[in-house]
Amino acid sequence: MDNYVLGIDYGTDSVRSILVNASDGVTLASEVFNYPRWKAGEYCNPSKNQYRQHPKDHLEGLMHTVKAVIQKSGLEKSQIKGLCIDTTGSSPLPVNKDGHALALSEKFSENPNAQMILWKDHTAIAEADEINHLARTWGGEDFTKYEGGIYSSEWFWAKILHIIREDPEVAEAAYSWMEHCDYLTFTLIGGKDPIAFKRSRCAAGHKALWHESWGGLPDAEFLEKLDPRLVKLKEQLYKETYTSDQAAGLLSKEWAIKLDLEEGIPVAVGTFDAHAGAIGGEVEEGTLVKVMGTSTCDIMVSSYESLEEKTVKGICGQVDGSVIPGKIGLEAGQSAFGDVLAWFVKLLLKPVRNTINDSSLEEGLKEQTIDLLEQNLILTLSNDAEKISPETTQVLALDWINGRRTPDANQNLKGAIKGLDMGSDAAHVFKALVESICYGSKKIIERFRQEGVTIEQVIGLGGVAKKSTLVMQTLADVLDMPIKVAKSEQAPALGAAIYAATAAGIYPTVTDAIAAMGNGFDKVYFPNPENAKIYKTKYEEYLTFGNFIENQR
């Protein structure tokens, strides 16, 4: 009898679950659930870069998708041997002493500060700047050195520091904080003590300044200089961390009933979506895996010998075992990728939508017209942009509309466009935005190479990689490298399933599980030599433009 495992992938807008045959990696069934509260914009304020999510969205999505894939597959529950959850991050959530989310209590159910602080929330820019300044001046260990040397407002300590200063009630009620992937895993195993729980090495190492060389989390003396309350919080967090090839625990009776699974199956230690995506994309040394969605995460693995204890400047961390146990995981990425294009589409759609709604058209026709625009505008823009040769347009854009993650995190930066003239239409601007996100990707690769990290091939996965020929061909041209696209439609969920198979003991190592369960690649984009030559020049213009904007006061 074949064994099956569940991979559960939490993205920015939705959660998807897949049921995978552990013998060959074939997906039997999948299901997606869009977060209703998030879709309605609840608890968010884009003008303040405030993005929060209610844990009810996540728990409801978990129950819906898991039950749906089991029903679709027709399997007996006894055939399902384990599961793993991956999530966005850093996306911390305040919990009480029992590990229950504050947002699930009546008192805090509608308080944005008690919700999960989503990865793209940038309300903690000042706190991140404070952490960076202290790390360089306090006279002790620079706790940011394994985080690329710059701590980001997207990460764990900055977000918590911002919330406890802004909201005394949440600060008082929060016994501990848990990353999204840890909270959901803790919930599934019926955890009672958040301190004793096996926290994710991936989340702790890349976002919470955890490193084995200084005994775990930063020194109490360092945290006290930021805020004395962080010292108490440290005592209520964790010391040890665990890799996702291990089981965090066993599925509880309560959640076995809710999910229609057998009680007691292994639940792997949680992880981040990008790291699971790298596993689903069959990452290996010398390979950069680009997880391409609303943002990007660029993931690599390196042997201990290759790095020789070198710290790579300006990235999002290097952590032992965060991707593949026994290797160093390296992370970089862009704060906005697909989001840059989505922003432009919304910019065009909003006044058109308002004009249609204010018109005298029949209501049904209004709805049909708006739906048609929402479904097809980005495709129209892409088709029109593909017809524009890169040498015929002088429009140039920066991709920093949500700040810059890497290299050298700076969330204060803003996007910009130059070179507009009377002939610049929407397709020209859209093409410039596509080029900008590709230039941002090239800058990350250049930083890795400058720091001595070898990149021999690039693999793309995620929604943008599967859907946008324009972006992928432009990226291949800008990088002047072939890009392979992972075959799996749900590579992060497949990666989570691979972790689940390892934690369940079906395979001895993650590498063995990848070899058996990897889905391979279905397309390769090769660079156009003429375009690559043009983009080499335009990339230098992008760098000059970026330096100008960054140095404005």
Side-chain angles (χ1 to χ4, degrees):
M1 183 181 294
D2 287 334
N3 294 319
Y4 297 86
V5 287
L6 283 159
I8 304 166
D9 169 43
Y10 281 85
T12 300
D13 302 319
S14 61
V15 56
R16 70 279 304 146
S17 292
I18 64 173
L19 190 58
V20 179
N21 189 330
S23 66
D24 56 14
V26 172
T27 296
L28 270 72
S30 64
E31 180 75 5
V32 176
F33 176 89
N34 294 304
Y35 311 135
R37 297 164 188 82
W38 168 256
K39 186 176 181 180
E42 295 181 24
Y43 318 111
C44 298
N45 186 342
S47 65
K48 294 170 57 179
N49 281 319
Q50 174 182 304
Y51 295 99
R52 313 287 165 82
Q53 289 187 342
H54 200 295
K56 283 185 178 179
D57 274 353
H58 308 136
L59 297 173
E60 290 168 4
L62 178 66
M63 288 186 284
H64 172 83
T65 58
V66 171
K67 291 173 74 173
V69 295
I70 294 171
Q71 184 177 16
K72 288 179 181 179
S73 72
L75 292 178
E76 298 293 330
K77 64 176 67 176
S78 61
Q79 293 175 269
I80 302 170
K81 303 299 183 181
L83 63 91
C84 178
I85 285 176
D86 74 71
T87 69
T88 65
S90 179
S91 298
L93 179 76
V95 299
N96 65 18
K97 192 170 185 177
D98 295 323
H100 297 147
L102 297 189
L104 297 181
S105 68
E106 184 176 352
K107 180 176 181 180
F108 292 105
S109 63
E110 300 303 316
N111 183 341
N113 294 322
Q115 313 302 328
M116 190 191 78
I117 317 300
L118 189 64
W119 65 269
K120 66 189 283 183
D121 187 294
H122 290 164
T123 53
I125 288 176
E127 288 76 12
D129 289 344
E130 189 177 341
I131 291 170
N132 285 315
H133 177 73
L134 182 63
R136 288 154 184 68
T137 61
W138 79 295
E141 182 74 70
D142 181 356
F143 295 111
T144 71
K145 70 180 183 180
Y146 291 106
E147 304 273 14
I150 302 175
Y151 201 71
S152 170
S153 63
E154 293 183 347
W155 298 346
F156 189 80
W157 290 107
K159 289 178 172 178
I160 293 170
L161 186 57
H162 177 76
I163 296 297
I164 64 175
R165 287 175 173 173
E166 183 175 83
D167 196 321
E169 282 194 318
V170 171
E172 179 66 25
Y175 175 79
S176 188
W177 287 72
M178 302 184 84
E179 280 286 357
H180 190 193
C181 64
D182 285 330
Y183 167 73
L184 290 171
T185 303
F186 178 86
T187 299
L188 285 179
I189 67 172
K192 303 297 182 186
D193 181 0
I195 299 177
F197 173 67
K198 291 183 178 180
R199 305 277 188 131
S200 167
R201 170 77 56 85
C202 167
H206 285 281
K207 312 301 180 187
L209 301 175
W210 183 95
H211 198 269
E212 58 269 26
S213 67
W214 49 71
L217 295 169
D219 288 350
E221 182 183 352
F222 175 83
L223 295 174
E224 186 170 25
K225 290 179 181 294
L226 293 169
D227 194 302
R229 290 172 291 185
L230 295 184
V231 178
K232 181 181 178 183
L233 174 60
K234 177 187 175 181
E235 296 171 356
Q236 293 161 188
L237 288 171
Y238 49 87
K239 293 182 180 178
E240 301 297 325
T241 62
Y242 300 84
T243 52
S244 293
D245 60 328
Q246 302 178 57
L250 304 178
L251 186 66
S252 70
K253 180 178 181 179
E254 176 188 358
W255 277 93
I257 294 170
K258 288 181 178 180
L259 301 180
D260 198 24
L261 292 170
E262 282 200 334
E263 180 183 356
I265 64 172
V267 180
V269 171
T271 188
F272 283 162
D273 50 2
H275 298 75
I279 295 296
E282 302 179 41
V283 67
E284 57 186 358
E285 288 191 54
T287 297
L288 180 125
V289 177
K290 292 188 68 65
V291 184
M292 305 160 72
T294 53
S295 67
T296 70
C297 281
D298 295 352
I299 307 296
M300 299 190 69
V301 295
S302 174
S303 67
Y304 304 124
E305 298 77 20
S306 295
L307 281 179
E308 296 180 343
E309 299 185 3
K310 177 181 178 62
T311 55
V312 181
K313 296 182 180 68
I315 64 169
C316 302
Q318 53 192 82
V319 180
D320 184 5
S322 63
V323 183
I324 296 178
K327 295 185 183 295
I328 304 295
L330 303 168
E331 178 186 344
Q334 293 161 267
S335 293
F337 195 79
D339 259 0
V340 174
L341 309 182
W343 162 79
F344 185 62
V345 171
K346 288 178 182 178
L347 181 75
L348 298 179
L349 274 176
K350 186 174 181 179
V352 173
R353 185 188 296 113
N354 291 343
T355 301
I356 293 171
N357 282 327
D358 291 342
S359 73
S360 59
L361 291 173
E362 187 266 330
E363 288 301 319
L365 184 57
K366 288 181 183 180
E367 293 179 9
Q368 291 176 17
T369 304
I370 291 171
D371 287 346
L372 181 67
L373 286 169
E374 289 178 342
Q375 292 171 21
N376 293 290
L377 184 54
I378 195 165
L379 179 61
T380 300
L381 287 166
S382 296
N383 290 338
D384 290 346
E386 283 183 324
K387 299 171 186 174
I388 302 172
S389 170
E391 64 183 338
T392 63
T393 174
Q394 301 304 311
V395 184
L396 184 67
L398 297 177
D399 52 314
W400 300 336
I401 64 168
N402 202 22
R404 185 179 65 212
R405 181 180 296 159
T406 51
D408 306 319
N410 186 347
Q411 304 304 160
N412 286 303
L413 293 175
K414 306 296 182 183
I417 302 174
K418 79 179 187 78
L420 299 170
D421 58 33
M422 291 298 290
S424 304
D425 60 15
H428 284 83
V429 176
F430 188 77
K431 184 177 184 67
L433 292 171
V434 169
E435 292 170 344
S436 77
I437 60 180
C438 297
Y439 298 145
S441 295
K442 182 178 177 70
K443 194 170 182 181
I444 290 170
I445 287 178
E446 284 193 342
R447 174 58 60 87
F448 272 124
R449 287 174 169 164
Q450 289 165 1
E451 293 290 308
V453 179
T454 300
I455 298 177
E456 297 171 345
Q457 69 170 339
V458 177
I459 292 172
L461 56 92
V464 175
K466 299 296 285 187
K467 296 175 182 177
S468 179
T469 300
L470 171 65
V471 171
M472 297 307 295
Q473 186 59 57
T474 305
L475 185 61
D477 293 345
V478 169
L479 299 182
D480 198 12
M481 292 178 68
I483 304 174
K484 296 197 297 188
V485 178
K487 185 176 182 180
S488 173
E489 295 287 339
Q490 303 289 357
L494 175 62
I498 289 171
Y499 280 134
T502 312
I506 298 170
Y507 295 101
T509 69
V510 171
T511 303
D512 291 321
I514 291 172
M517 298 174 65
N519 285 186
F521 308 94
D522 63 1
K523 191 168 186 177
V524 180
Y525 288 87
F526 293 95
N528 178 310
E530 289 301 315
N531 287 347
K533 185 177 180 180
I534 294 166
Y535 281 130
K536 185 176 181 180
T537 299
K538 296 186 78 170
Y539 174 67
E540 294 301 319
E541 296 174 5
Y542 166 86
L543 295 178
T544 301
F545 187 30
N547 288 335
F548 171 77
I549 293 296
E550 189 166 4
N551 291 314
Q552 294 300 299
R553 293 290 184 268

